[in-house]
Amino acid sequence: MAGATGILPIIVAIIIFSIIPSEIEARTKLYTTAVVHDHHENPTNTISPFQDDFCKSTVESKGYSCQQHQVTTEDGYILGLQRIPVGRSGKQADKPPVLLQHGIFSDGVTWVRNSPEESLAFILADNGYDVWLANSRGTVYSRGHQSLTPNDPDYWNWSWDELAAYDLPAFIQYVHDQTGQNIHYVGHSLGTLMAFAALSEDDNVSSKLRSAALLSPIAYLNQIRSLLTKAAAYLFLGDVIKLSHIYIYINTLPQEVSKLLGNICSKPSINCSDILAAFTDVDPQSTATRNLIHLAQMIRKGTIAKYDYGNADENMKQYGKPTPPLYNMSSIPNNFPLLLSYGGKDELSDVNDVSVLLEKLKDHEQDKLVVQLVENYAHLDFVMGVNANKVVYNPLMDFFGLH
């Protein structure tokens, strides 16, 4: 156990850094730079005081109204939710609410990081939509809990199973209750995986949604192109499978991590260019170790399944069977409107893995499934690319207009 604990930060850093470098080349071509507020640890069981910072520094500073909300999940997590009810003109929203869900190592700032002309949340608000920004458990705006603090190991005892089963339904129910309307949903990366899982298992989710636009869709990861990510997934599972209660909060890079990364990145087949610059610019948020283990399981097994506890007895206790049950993508209602937008240069949402997903959705009603391939887009371009407003967001709003 001690050896595994010692290697934990090294493995975690490899996984984090392996996710980001594939975006660097595209970013220098497509992205502008925006100032993002400081994040700090909030070890209390109340809503994060940085909620105010979110609105003031990233929304109101750009001329938009911003409201703070909080949502309590069935399993006790208190989550932050921001609302942009009107556009810069001050005109009241006359279109349905839209819920935006970020990906891993991120938060609601994802959608307002760029200029108003380039950020999806602002574009939607200026086009008459009532915009809601979700922040998943563990991120700086969602550190609250009814009985636990982030210093308690049990606070971090979750993976994306819980994000799909508790966080997403809680956000959807809250927005539905507040507005009295069904909702359009936009997810990026892990936010798409949450939607796939929830839509395949929970009819209450699809019944409150008008549609779902899923950017860089993540369902199958077996053909992921990043060699570094694949290596990290195998190492991570092998060494820390029993440490699923430990959480990840990244703020420094230990010397041993730098040394190990240097050795790995010296391999001719692995590209680690501008790793540190990428890390500091993206401003990563916390997640649970168990969540990373779960994602690593997906890479290893090529399936979309519930969390594997690593032994048949524990799986039997949790699921009533020795292996974790699969999420059945064909169980997503065939008449539910879906937009899938993916990139030809995305090393996480690989085009071959998306093809596997599309095969699972082959019985979906043709007029309810829109698929868009953006050949020159990498993973982060869908949320930070300065030309995403034309390439991705205009077609997305056209899709909303149909539903």
Side-chain angles (χ1 to χ4, degrees), residues 44-46 75-78 144-150 152 154-155:
T44 69
N45 62 353
T46 59
D75 58 345
Y77 288 81
I78 303 171
H145 193 279
Q146 291 178 320
S147 61
L148 302 170
T149 79
D152 298 317
D154 281 346
Y155 176 92

Side-chain angles (χ1 to χ4, degrees), residues 83-310:
R83 182 186 194 181
I84 306 175
V86 298
R88 271 186 297 185
S89 68
K91 181 184 176 183
Q92 199 67 30
D94 57 4
K95 293 177 182 175
V98 182
L99 176 66
L100 305 181
Q101 174 63 58
H102 60 81
I104 195 169
F105 301 127
S106 189
D107 56 23
V109 174
T110 294
W111 308 105
V112 293
R113 191 182 295 269
N114 279 358
S115 73
E117 294 74 28
E118 299 163 350
S119 298
L120 180 58
F122 295 137
I123 291 170
L124 289 170
D126 286 335
N127 279 274
Y129 289 95
D130 180 6
V131 180
W132 297 75
L133 308 176
N135 299 273
S136 297
R137 64 182 66 187
T139 61
V140 72
Y141 304 111
S142 295
R143 291 280 171 81
H145 193 279
Q146 291 178 320
S147 61
L148 302 170
T149 79
N151 293 329
D152 298 317
D154 281 346
Y155 176 92
W156 301 96
N157 187 20
W158 51 266
S159 77
W160 58 259
D161 280 335
E162 285 70 31
L163 300 183
Y166 297 113
D167 288 24
L168 184 55
F171 284 132
I172 290 172
Q173 185 67 55
Y174 184 86
V175 174
H176 184 271
D177 290 348
Q178 290 290 308
T179 65
Q181 300 183 63
N182 281 8
I183 306 157
H184 292 299
Y185 176 84
V186 181
H188 176 248
S189 190
L190 191 68
T192 71
L193 179 57
M194 293 164 60
F196 287 131
L199 287 168
S200 71
E201 296 210 325
D202 189 349
D203 290 338
N204 287 326
V205 169
S206 59
S207 69
K208 293 179 177 64
L209 292 179
R210 293 172 178 266
S211 70
L214 306 178
L215 313 179
S216 300
I218 297 291
Y220 298 93
L221 292 172
N222 184 246
Q223 300 179 77
I224 191 169
R225 279 180 284 176
S226 170
L227 296 178
L228 187 54
T229 304
K230 278 192 171 183
Y234 279 79
L235 286 169
F236 196 58
L237 257 186
D239 286 305
V240 298
I241 189 67
K242 295 182 180 179
L243 299 179
S244 60
H245 286 190
I246 296 177
Y247 78 95
I248 310 303
Y249 187 75
I250 303 297
N251 53 14
T252 59
L253 183 64
Q255 183 177 359
E256 61 269 26
V257 176
S258 297
K259 183 176 180 181
L260 181 58
L261 282 173
N263 291 336
I264 293 175
C265 294
S266 65
K267 306 297 182 185
S269 60
I270 294 178
N271 177 16
C272 300
S273 60
D274 290 332
I275 260 181
L276 291 178
F279 177 77
T280 54
D281 192 45
V282 171
D283 192 20
Q285 286 292 313
S286 308
T287 193
T289 299
R290 177 165 156 174
N291 194 31
L292 297 182
I293 293 173
H294 197 175
L295 291 168
Q297 290 171 354
M298 293 175 66
I299 294 172
R300 284 170 56 105
K301 298 178 181 181
T303 60
I304 173 171
K306 293 186 184 293
Y307 181 78
D308 189 342
Y309 286 86

